[in-house]
Every structure is written in structure tokens, then in C-alpha cells.
Amino acid sequence: MKILLVDDSGMIRSVLKKYLTDLGLSDFAEAPDGVFALRAVAAQKIDLIFMDWNMPNLSGFEALKKLKANPAAKSIPIIMVTSEQEKGHILEAVKAGAANYVIKPFSAAVIKEKMAPYLPQPPVKAPEPPSADAEKNIP
Amino acid sequence: MADAGIKAEHVNPFIAATIDMFETMANLQAKPGKMCLKDKHISAYDVSGIIGLSGGAKGLVALSFPKASALAAVQAFTGEKDVKKSRIIDSIGELANIVAGAAKKDLSQFKIKISLPTVITGENHSISGPVDAMGLVVPFEYAGGKFDLTVCFKSLI
């Protein structure tokens, strides 16, 4: 699974990478703004995007709208990363097709929760058959 | 009517946001010490991330770190061992940005707008807020060292 991390802060991209690596993910691409994000999506297969809201050149919201209008990219789930001050725009982002959002500061637990629908589920262990001893104990 | 003085209710959201950011993102306890009131030219450590405040209040919020403490903070937040100077500068600005953004929700009556982060580096630099806005400096300690939270705040409503 390849994840594109889009944020003008390298620190936020690194924090996300750290949390996602802890979830067993290891394939990342990075972009510092919406323009580079669109280029990255055109150049490689991306499975999920974390997109900062407030970035220079092309904001996360504008990039989200462009990606959702592109038939080749519209199915990629996009999780918006916003600060508390941009929280009011979340509804706009969801209407535009964002899959989810996180608010800074975010924790590893929050990222794990938001990623849950996209991670492979651990196989369900089949119940073990009763042992011969257990059968002997049945009255 | 404008209020000339800085009040605890203006500073507490920034203190709470700083503690919460360290706890949430780096699993670190940042402990605030005794705050002190400053008028102008507030002395700072080696790396300062500064966010300007405008709207119904004017002033700034700054996080200022000694070099070693800034490096330790960036390593703790990102999990990276090898940290370049440019990453430290970017990160300290982003930390100030997160604190200012998070504190805004408890200061909604001021309809504050926050600027993009500015980062100043260099030993013994100072931070100056608006001439008529008092500043409060809150010293913090955490496992990686110390830093100051500076809030200059003047209500305009």
C-alpha cells in the first residue's frame, strides 16, 4: 500500500511516517504542496493520501477537489489534516469527497483509528477442536 | 472597549495547547514553571518559532528553544535520529503553529487570525511584540531539556 503524505512541514510528514510505520506500512511518497501532490498522483500508483489543508501554491482543499474531479484519481481515499482553526471547513472537505480528517495535534492512536478501514484485517483464528482429555471430562 | 493588560485567561490556552501537543504527538510531559511578565525585547534561546496574532487581539506567540533542546524535541516528535538544521527550523515553526492554532478555540471571542510561522535562529536573540502589548514568558521543562513559551497579547475588543 503506497501512501502519499502531503504537507509543507517536513516535520508533520515525518510524524505521519513514524505513526504509519508503526502500523506496518513502509511505502511512502511525499509532497510539500498541492501542486507536487497532483504530480505525484499522476506519476505513480497511490493508494491513500494524507493531505494538509493549508499549504502554499495549491491548498489541500483545492488539490482534493482536483483529484476528485479526475476519473483516474477520484477513488483514492484522502484524509485531510487540519489545524483547529480550519476545523470549520471539515464539512466542505467531506462534501468535496474527503474520506476523513485529523486535527493537529494528532496522536498515533488517532492515525491508527483513521487507517483502520484501509488496513488488512488480521486473520480470524479458527477455534481449536476440543482435546481428547477434555472429551474424557464430559460427564 | 480595549483592555490594556494581559490576563491569565489569554495565556492559559497557549500553555494548555503546549502541554497537549507534547503529550499527544511525542508522548512527553512538558511542565510549565513560574511565568514572568515582560514589557519589550524578550530574550530568547537559540531557535524561536513565532506566530503573529491579529483580529480582535494583537500580539504573538513564540516557542524558543536552546539548540540541544530543539534537536531533542524534533527527534522525539519525528522519531528521526539524524536531524538537519533545516528540519529543526521547519519543526520549531510548525510546533509554534500547532500551539497557536489549538489555542484559538479557547479564544474564539477574539476571532484571532494567526500568521504563517517565522523562525529566528542565533544565540541571544530577542523577541519584541507590539509596543503596547505586554508579554508573558512561561518557562517549560521536558525530558529533552527546556524551552520558553512567550505570549504577547493585547485585546482589541
Side-chain angles (χ1 to χ4, degrees):
Chain A
M1 180 180 203
K2 186 155 199 153
I3 301 182
L4 175 61
L5 308 170
V6 191
D7 200 303
D8 55 328
S9 164
M11 185 200 95
I12 294 295
R13 298 198 304 267
S14 292
V15 172
L16 283 167
K17 215 189 294 180
K18 179 177 77 165
Y19 294 164
L20 294 166
T21 302
D22 289 347
L23 296 176
L25 299 160
S26 58
D27 197 4
F28 303 109
E30 297 186 38
D33 62 33
V35 173
F36 279 90
L38 298 183
R39 284 186 201 159
V41 170
Q44 57 200 309
K45 186 182 177 299
I46 298 292
D47 299 300
L48 187 140
I49 301 173
F50 278 89
M51 178 94 77
D52 185 29
W53 186 281
N54 193 16
M55 292 182 293
N57 303 323
L58 186 68
S59 75
F61 184 54
E62 290 303 317
L64 165 75
K65 287 194 290 187
K66 285 183 186 293
L67 288 168
K68 290 299 164 187
N70 174 356
K74 69 177 181 188
S75 63
I76 303 172
I78 300 178
I79 298 176
M80 299 300 291
V81 180
T82 78
S83 66
E84 189 64 40
Q85 63 167 341
E86 293 141 0
K87 206 173 155 185
H89 301 305
I90 286 166
L91 193 60
E92 265 180 276
V94 171
K95 276 184 188 165
N100 215 323
Y101 66 91
V102 292
I103 295 172
K104 291 186 257 185
F106 48 79
S107 64
V110 165
I111 298 301
K112 186 179 178 183
E113 180 197 319
K114 305 288 180 180
M115 283 300 295
Y118 311 106
L119 293 173
Q121 298 299 311
V124 180
K125 216 176 168 186
E128 286 180 17
S131 67
D133 288 346
E135 278 177 19
K136 276 182 208 162
N137 292 334
I138 296 171
Chain B
M1 190 183 146
D3 183 353
I6 186 166
K7 296 177 178 173
E9 69 204 56
H10 301 150
V11 181
N12 288 343
F14 295 98
I15 296 173
T18 303
I19 294 169
D20 181 51
M21 177 180 69
F22 271 77
E23 172 79 41
T24 304
M25 295 186 82
N27 210 14
L28 286 170
Q29 247 194 311
K31 291 181 190 165
K34 198 177 168 190
M35 62 178 84
C36 60
L37 198 59
K38 303 272 181 176
D39 52 1
K40 50 187 171 181
H41 305 314
I42 298 160
S43 60
Y45 291 122
D46 307 324
V47 191
S48 299
I50 302 169
I51 301 286
L53 308 175
S54 59
K58 65 176 179 180
L60 60 83
V61 56
L63 290 178
S64 184
F65 292 76
K67 226 182 276 178
S69 173
L71 173 64
V74 177
Q75 287 174 327
F77 275 77
T78 63
E80 293 170 345
K81 294 276 176 285
D82 187 20
V83 179
K84 290 181 181 161
K85 190 181 174 189
S86 58
R87 171 54 54 85
I88 294 176
I89 291 171
D90 162 69
S91 300
I92 299 304
E94 183 60 25
L95 294 182
N97 189 38
I98 294 172
V99 167
K104 267 189 63 172
K105 70 173 187 292
D106 294 324
L107 296 164
S108 55
Q109 71 273 29
F110 294 105
K111 295 188 170 64
I112 289 174
K113 290 178 183 160
I114 66 174
S115 74
L116 290 170
T118 299
V119 179
I120 299 174
T121 61
E123 285 175 33
N124 302 320
H125 64 265
S126 62
I127 296 167
S128 303
V131 285
D132 54 348
M134 294 296 282
L136 262 175
V137 178
V138 185
F140 272 86
E141 282 188 1
Y142 77 105
K146 59 185 178 180
F147 66 92
D148 281 348
L149 164 71
T150 297
V151 181
C152 294
F153 193 98
K154 181 174 170 128
S155 167
L156 298 175
I157 57 175

